[in-house]
Amino acid sequence: MKELSAHKFPEVYKRLGINLSKLGCIMLDLKPLNNAWSIEYDGAAVSLYYAKNKERFWIDGWVFDKPHITLMYGLLTPGDESPMKELVPQILEGWEYPQIEVEDISYFDSPYPDEPYYCIVAKIKTTPDLLEANERIKMLPHLNTFPGYKPHATICYLDKKQGDEYRDNMIEYFKTCFVGKKMEVSGLNLGGNK
Protein backbone atom coordinates (compact mmCIF):
# COMPACT_ATOMS: atom_id res chain seq x y z
CA MET A 1 0.00 0.00 0.00
CA LYS A 2 1.26 3.47 -0.85
CA GLU A 3 1.91 5.80 2.06
CA LEU A 4 -1.44 7.50 2.54
CA SER A 5 -1.96 10.87 4.13
CA ALA A 6 -4.74 13.42 4.22
CA HIS A 7 -2.10 15.86 2.94
CA LYS A 8 -2.27 14.10 -0.46
CA PHE A 9 -5.82 15.41 -0.89
CA PRO A 10 -5.53 19.15 -0.11
CA GLU A 11 -8.48 20.17 -2.30
CA VAL A 12 -10.83 17.83 -0.41
CA TYR A 13 -10.05 19.47 2.94
CA LYS A 14 -9.99 22.96 1.46
CA ARG A 15 -13.52 22.37 0.16
CA LEU A 16 -14.58 21.14 3.61
CA GLY A 17 -13.04 24.23 5.23
CA ILE A 18 -10.57 22.14 7.25
CA ASN A 19 -6.98 23.30 7.74
CA LEU A 20 -5.00 20.11 8.42
CA SER A 21 -2.30 22.11 10.21
CA LYS A 22 -4.78 23.39 12.79
CA LEU A 23 -6.32 20.12 13.98
CA GLY A 24 -6.13 19.19 17.65
CA CYS A 25 -3.20 17.14 18.91
CA ILE A 26 -3.06 15.29 22.23
CA MET A 27 0.43 14.34 23.37
CA LEU A 28 2.46 12.96 26.22
CA ASP A 29 5.40 15.14 27.20
CA LEU A 30 8.52 13.12 28.00
CA LYS A 31 11.60 13.81 30.08
CA PRO A 32 14.60 14.20 27.77
CA LEU A 33 17.22 11.49 27.69
CA ASN A 34 20.59 12.42 29.20
CA ASN A 35 22.26 12.07 25.79
CA ALA A 36 19.63 14.04 23.82
CA TRP A 37 21.81 17.11 23.25
CA SER A 38 21.35 18.91 19.97
CA ILE A 39 23.53 18.10 17.00
CA GLU A 40 24.00 21.88 16.82
CA TYR A 41 26.65 21.41 19.52
CA ASP A 42 28.56 19.14 17.16
CA GLY A 43 28.61 21.80 14.44
CA ALA A 44 25.69 20.32 12.51
CA ALA A 45 23.29 23.26 12.90
CA VAL A 46 23.46 23.94 9.15
CA SER A 47 21.72 20.61 8.53
CA LEU A 48 18.64 21.47 10.62
CA TYR A 49 15.45 22.71 9.03
CA TYR A 50 13.16 25.44 10.40
CA ALA A 51 9.68 26.15 9.02
CA LYS A 52 9.36 28.87 6.43
CA ASN A 53 5.64 29.07 7.21
CA LYS A 54 5.48 30.23 10.85
CA GLU A 55 2.03 28.62 11.28
CA ARG A 56 4.00 25.35 11.28
CA PHE A 57 5.81 26.28 14.47
CA TRP A 58 6.57 22.65 15.37
CA ILE A 59 9.02 22.33 12.43
CA ASP A 60 11.82 23.72 14.55
CA GLY A 61 15.19 22.10 13.91
CA TRP A 62 16.29 20.01 16.90
CA VAL A 63 13.30 19.15 19.11
CA PHE A 64 14.43 16.06 21.07
CA ASP A 65 15.46 18.23 24.02
CA LYS A 66 11.71 18.72 24.66
CA PRO A 67 10.34 15.36 23.50
CA HIS A 68 6.75 14.26 23.24
CA ILE A 69 4.76 11.52 21.59
CA THR A 70 1.42 12.08 19.94
CA LEU A 71 -1.43 10.05 21.36
CA MET A 72 -3.79 11.30 18.65
CA TYR A 73 -3.72 13.98 15.97
CA GLY A 74 -6.82 15.15 14.16
CA LEU A 75 -9.31 16.46 16.72
CA LEU A 76 -11.73 18.80 14.97
CA THR A 77 -11.50 21.14 17.98
CA PRO A 78 -7.99 21.75 19.38
CA GLY A 79 -7.37 19.96 22.68
CA ASP A 80 -6.44 23.13 24.55
CA GLU A 81 -9.80 24.82 23.74
CA SER A 82 -13.22 24.29 25.31
CA PRO A 83 -14.86 21.87 25.42
CA MET A 84 -11.91 19.56 24.59
CA LYS A 85 -9.71 20.70 27.48
CA GLU A 86 -12.38 19.29 29.82
CA LEU A 87 -13.36 16.28 27.68
CA VAL A 88 -9.91 14.84 26.89
CA PRO A 89 -9.01 14.29 30.58
CA GLN A 90 -12.47 12.82 31.08
CA ILE A 91 -12.04 10.37 28.17
CA LEU A 92 -8.62 9.35 29.60
CA GLU A 93 -9.88 8.97 33.19
CA GLY A 94 -8.53 5.76 34.73
CA TRP A 95 -5.84 5.39 32.05
CA GLU A 96 -2.28 5.44 33.41
CA TYR A 97 0.87 6.71 31.75
CA PRO A 98 2.65 3.82 30.04
CA GLN A 99 6.29 2.79 29.81
CA ILE A 100 7.87 4.49 26.77
CA GLU A 101 10.69 2.69 24.96
CA VAL A 102 12.58 3.71 21.81
CA GLU A 103 12.32 0.77 19.42
CA ASP A 104 14.00 2.14 16.30
CA ILE A 105 14.96 5.32 14.43
CA SER A 106 13.36 6.22 11.13
CA TYR A 107 12.19 9.21 9.10
CA PHE A 108 9.35 10.48 7.00
CA ASP A 109 9.24 13.09 4.27
CA SER A 110 7.62 16.46 4.72
CA PRO A 111 3.95 16.40 3.72
CA TYR A 112 4.29 20.06 2.66
CA PRO A 113 5.64 20.74 -0.86
CA ASP A 114 6.91 24.17 0.30
CA GLU A 115 8.83 22.74 3.32
CA PRO A 116 11.64 20.43 2.06
CA TYR A 117 12.71 18.44 5.12
CA TYR A 118 13.12 14.95 6.53
CA CYS A 119 11.51 14.39 9.92
CA ILE A 120 13.82 12.07 11.90
CA VAL A 121 11.87 10.15 14.54
CA ALA A 122 12.39 7.76 17.42
CA LYS A 123 9.85 5.01 16.79
CA ILE A 124 8.23 4.15 20.10
CA LYS A 125 7.34 0.57 20.97
CA THR A 126 3.58 0.25 20.44
CA THR A 127 2.04 -1.04 23.64
CA PRO A 128 -1.57 -1.90 24.52
CA ASP A 129 -1.60 1.17 26.82
CA LEU A 130 -0.64 3.55 24.00
CA LEU A 131 -3.18 1.95 21.66
CA GLU A 132 -5.86 2.30 24.33
CA ALA A 133 -5.17 6.03 24.75
CA ASN A 134 -5.32 6.53 20.98
CA GLU A 135 -8.64 4.65 20.75
CA ARG A 136 -10.12 6.53 23.70
CA ILE A 137 -9.30 9.93 22.19
CA LYS A 138 -10.74 8.80 18.83
CA MET A 139 -14.11 8.66 20.58
CA LEU A 140 -14.08 12.47 20.28
CA PRO A 141 -14.88 14.20 16.95
CA HIS A 142 -11.81 13.85 14.73
CA LEU A 143 -10.51 12.88 11.32
CA ASN A 144 -7.69 10.49 10.55
CA THR A 145 -4.85 12.22 8.75
CA PHE A 146 -2.70 9.05 8.50
CA PRO A 147 -3.78 5.41 8.58
CA GLY A 148 -3.02 3.47 11.76
CA TYR A 149 -1.29 4.64 14.92
CA LYS A 150 2.51 4.73 14.90
CA PRO A 151 3.79 6.31 18.11
CA HIS A 152 6.99 8.29 17.66
CA ALA A 153 8.97 11.14 19.16
CA THR A 154 10.44 13.60 16.68
CA ILE A 155 14.19 14.01 17.08
CA CYS A 156 14.80 16.71 14.49
CA TYR A 157 13.93 18.16 11.13
CA LEU A 158 16.78 17.87 8.59
CA ASP A 159 17.06 20.06 5.53
CA LYS A 160 16.60 17.89 2.43
CA LYS A 161 19.46 19.65 0.66
CA GLN A 162 21.79 17.66 2.94
CA GLY A 163 20.82 14.58 0.92
CA ASP A 164 19.81 10.99 1.54
CA GLU A 165 23.27 9.77 2.55
CA TYR A 166 23.55 12.40 5.30
CA ARG A 167 20.03 11.54 6.50
CA ASP A 168 20.86 7.83 6.60
CA ASN A 169 24.12 8.46 8.47
CA MET A 170 22.26 10.52 11.08
CA ILE A 171 19.67 7.75 11.49
CA GLU A 172 22.42 5.17 12.08
CA TYR A 173 24.11 7.48 14.59
CA PHE A 174 20.85 8.10 16.46
CA LYS A 175 20.24 4.34 16.59
CA THR A 176 23.45 3.91 18.58
CA CYS A 177 22.39 6.71 20.93
CA PHE A 178 18.69 6.07 21.55
CA VAL A 179 17.43 2.59 20.59
CA GLY A 180 16.43 0.57 23.65
CA LYS A 181 16.27 3.63 25.91
CA LYS A 182 13.27 4.06 28.17
CA MET A 183 11.71 7.50 28.58
CA GLU A 184 9.62 8.82 31.44
CA VAL A 185 6.32 10.60 30.87
CA SER A 186 6.22 14.05 32.49
CA GLY A 187 2.56 14.87 31.72
CA LEU A 188 -0.36 15.17 29.37
CA ASN A 189 -0.12 17.90 26.71
CA LEU A 190 -3.35 19.15 25.14
CA GLY A 191 -1.61 20.91 22.26
CA GLY A 192 -1.64 24.54 21.32
CA ASN A 193 1.52 26.30 20.19
CA LYS A 194 3.89 23.86 21.86
Side-chain angles (χ1 to χ4, degrees), residues 91-191:
I91 224 75
L92 290 174
E93 190 173 330
W95 178 79
E96 296 186 15
Y97 295 152
Q99 176 82 32
I100 305 298
E101 182 179 343
V102 178
E103 186 173 56
D104 199 5
I105 306 297
S106 186
Y107 80 97
F108 59 84
D109 285 315
S110 167
Y112 307 107
D114 59 332
E115 302 277 12
Y117 66 79
Y118 299 114
C119 182
I120 309 299
V121 298
K123 294 171 85 176
I124 303 300
K125 184 176 183 179
T126 306
T127 64
D129 292 327
L130 287 172
L131 289 171
E132 179 184 338
N134 176 264
E135 290 299 321
R136 283 181 179 226
I137 298 167
K138 282 182 178 175
M139 291 180 194
L140 298 167
H142 72 283
L143 66 86
N144 290 331
T145 56
F146 295 92
Y149 176 54
K150 299 170 188 133
H152 64 273
T154 300
I155 296 172
C156 65
Y157 298 88
L158 288 181
D159 196 316
K160 271 196 169 181
K161 68 182 171 195
Q162 299 301 318
D164 295 355
E165 185 178 348
Y166 183 84
R167 175 203 64 209
D168 294 344
N169 288 339
M170 294 307 295
I171 288 171
E172 289 308 310
Y173 173 69
F174 293 146
K175 283 182 181 186
T176 66
C177 295
F178 305 133
V179 171
K181 301 282 185 188
K182 293 187 173 35
M183 301 181 78
E184 191 177 332
V185 175
S186 60
L188 185 66
N189 182 330
L190 298 179

Side-chain angles (χ1 to χ4, degrees), residues 49-54 56 59 110-117:
Y49 185 87
Y50 299 86
K52 293 180 178 98
N53 180 340
K54 295 308 171 192
R56 300 176 188 144
I59 304 168
S110 167
Y112 307 107
D114 59 332
E115 302 277 12
Y117 66 79

Side-chain angles (χ1 to χ4, degrees), residues 48-65:
L48 295 174
Y49 185 87
Y50 299 86
K52 293 180 178 98
N53 180 340
K54 295 308 171 192
E55 286 186 5
R56 300 176 188 144
F57 57 87
W58 61 90
I59 304 168
D60 194 29
W62 183 266
V63 295
F64 207 46
D65 57 337

Side-chain angles (χ1 to χ4, degrees), residues 27-39:
M27 301 165 278
L28 289 178
D29 287 332
L30 306 174
K31 292 185 179 176
L33 294 169
N34 290 337
N35 63 342
W37 61 86
S38 173
I39 58 175

